[in-house]
Amino acid sequence: MATDSVAQLADSLAKTQVTEGELSYKGQGRKFDNAQSVEEMVKEIQEFKGLQALRLEGNTYGVEAAQAIAKALETKSEFKYCYWSDMFTGRLRSEIPPALNSLGAALMTAGARLTVLDLSDNAFGPDGVKGIEKLLKSTACHTLQELRLNNCGMGIGGGKILAAALTECYKQSSAQGTPLGLKVFIAGRNRLENDGATALAQAFQLMGSLEEVHVPQNGINHPGVTALATAMQHNPQLRVLNLNDNTFTKKGAIAMAQALKHLRSVQVINFGDCLVRSEGAIAIAEAVTEGLPILKELNLSFGEITGVAALLVAQSVEGKATLEKLDLNGNCLGQEGCDALREVMDGLNMGDLLGSLSDDEGEPEEEEDDDDDDDDDDEDDDEEEEEDDYEEDDDVEEEDSSVNQVSSPPSVPRPPDASSFLCFPSPDKLLKLGTKRALFFEQQVVDVADAGKTAEAFLKISSVYNEEDEDVKSAVLDSIDAILRKAFASPSFQGYNFVSSLLVMLGLLKSEDKVKPVRVVPGHFQALEYVVRQDYFPQDHIAVLEAFMSRRIQALESCSSARNILKTTLEQVRPEN
């Protein structure tokens, strides 16, 4: 949960090695209000030859005390490490910016070249960020590798100021031939929200040097998560990504999964408490399957993930020799789901790597929609009305033709309309589209760049499949073949989104978009059985389909024969590990 993430982050922050040339006043719990109170400290700083690191954390410093310390730092040109977290407890917020300004100005005067700047747990808000703005833009930070601002209450405004300062630092350092190479960025519990995260994402994308990013508990939703995902793709050395306790939902999770496909060095992924949900988990599972060869930890806890999706996540870590922990606690697996998950992990000889499932939320209750029948009736009425409209149009054309039969040539038959077929599919309409039907669908009607619309078109076309009518069968397979071959040939096509949309529309996977499932017919499974045997269909999707086709769902019992044939084919084409 979120508290686990905070503890993990605190532990990470505490693992700072003692540096050569370090002077420490850490954790003394002392109160320094004025210059007199820090006289001894100032003297020690002045007399310390080759000072590189100063630990001030765990005490509280007033403006005058900070100014006196700053004066002593003005001659320390070898200074590199600022461990200045938790140093303003009990101070007025108005005291913090001038104190930070003084310390920053001293480092610039000294000609210091910083490696670490840690100001965590100071709760200084946006004004505090302004207090270090000049420092961050200066040459003192051109060499910065670690920036730690955990629990500082920066807010959206502070996030934007910080992003602008980092961007300026990168541009100025690049102009001097030594671009900023920030490796570690920590800013948990700062209320950055979407706008703050998006601003920082732009700076991250520009730098491209990050190895660790920790931004848990920041109120970031899918727009901010998507912006961060895009930025992460431009940081190929990224090892640790911690966004615990933000809100991905499907859109954010899919965007992040897409980003992970571009990264090969990631070792730790913490998306716990991020509401990735089942569709997002499937997308992430696909990314793990395809890459992330040195993954050590994957945390998808408390994400409203259901049983089958969790099994796919478990299957995705097969062969990950470096894996140390998979955390799927607090999801919606139910007892059977938990047992199945343990069984899968045991089968992979990874049972000891699966975290506790003690906080599982149980299987989600099926939502009953009392209006389903009414909705079906409404749809039938709409279909009848639209078909009546088509008939009326034909009547009008016939009347016009008879009125003008002396002066006008006979009316030309209406050309085939693929859009009309997709509105109300029927075998007769499909055949009337003629031999160019596949071309109509592929080039004029179906937007193959949209995985969801492609899945919808597949289901509508396959709904008229008839195993006993060779003409209809051939027309269906030719049409879906043309659409899917073109779709999967595009590098930007999101195949996992296509499969996910397909499962949602078939009623096999619950969606956060509350999509109403189609009426499932054997043709859906018969056409899909053909598709999975084609060379364009990615083998990575086979395991996903196989897992869901094994589920017992009452609505699919009428198609049990076609579904069983599909299951057999999936087993046959499943890639060997």
Side-chain angles (χ1 to χ4, degrees), residues 435-451:
T435 57
K436 293 185 177 180
R437 65 180 70 85
L439 195 63
F440 290 150
F441 287 125
E442 176 195 343
Q443 296 184 354
Q444 301 175 17
V445 180
V446 180
D447 180 7
V448 293
D450 188 318

Side-chain angles (χ1 to χ4, degrees), residues 295-370:
L295 184 66
K296 290 184 177 180
E297 295 183 22
L298 176 59
N299 183 349
L300 295 178
S301 60
F302 298 91
E304 292 191 2
I305 300 169
T306 53
V308 176
L311 293 180
L312 293 172
V313 172
Q315 291 170 354
S316 74
V317 301
E318 182 177 6
K320 305 296 180 186
T322 57
L323 191 74
E324 296 175 0
K325 185 176 182 180
L326 172 63
D327 191 348
L328 287 166
N329 196 20
N331 284 299
C332 305
L333 312 184
Q335 188 58 53
E336 288 186 9
C338 289
D339 292 342
L341 181 59
R342 293 189 185 98
E343 184 178 337
V344 168
M345 291 297 287
D346 286 340
L348 298 175
N349 293 319
M350 291 179 160
D352 57 333
L353 305 183
L354 180 64
S356 170
L357 299 175
S358 59
D359 294 319
D360 186 73
E361 299 285 345
E363 290 187 73
E365 294 182 6
E366 293 293 331
E367 294 182 3
E368 296 184 3
D369 190 347
D370 296 333

Side-chain angles (χ1 to χ4, degrees), residues 69-85:
I69 295 169
K71 188 68 176 175
L73 289 172
E74 288 181 353
T75 60
K76 303 301 176 180
S77 60
E78 298 177 42
F79 197 79
K80 296 180 181 179
Y81 307 97
C82 302
Y83 299 118
W84 297 347
S85 63

